[in-house]
Amino acid sequence: MTVTFPATVTIRGISLITTVADDGPAGYRIEHSDDGVVFTGFNPPVAGTGSDVLTIQFPVATTMHAVRVVQTAGKTHGWCINEFSTIGCSVN
């Protein structure tokens, strides 16, 4: 999933909530982009085992134009994200 912001923002993390119990990813990684086209992973990487409610903190507040969540391991069914929100977001 990619979220492109209407302006450049600085955020400290994201929160993802699924629609149904046991619907989260088995694994994920987060990437960010300055232009919404070329994505870069965080250093250190932001990745982990998923859950139905994910609160993901970035290593530092990061300026970006877009953020991408990549499912790296799946379950027997797809992953539906019901709610997406930013943590500590400021518009630049």
Side-chain angles (χ1 to χ4, degrees):
M1 174 190 84
T2 300
V3 175
T4 302
F5 302 102
T8 302
V9 297
T10 299
I11 59 178
R12 291 183 299 125
I14 59 174
S15 177
L16 304 166
I17 300 173
T18 61
T19 56
V20 180
D22 196 36
D23 195 31
Y28 69 89
R29 84 171 172 270
I30 310 296
E31 302 170 337
H32 60 92
S33 173
D34 293 334
D35 60 8
V37 177
V38 177
F39 284 83
T40 305
F42 287 86
N43 189 12
V46 176
T49 302
S51 67
D52 297 342
V53 178
L54 286 172
T55 300
I56 303 163
Q57 297 283 340
F58 302 156
V60 297
T62 304
T63 300
M64 65 185 72
H65 185 67
V67 64
R68 179 164 62 189
V69 180
V70 179
Q71 182 173 336
T72 59
K75 296 182 181 176
T76 58
H77 55 279
W79 175 28
C80 294
I81 299 170
N82 188 45
E83 293 181 35
F84 169 90
S85 59
T86 60
I87 300 168
C89 181
S90 61
V91 178
N92 298 331

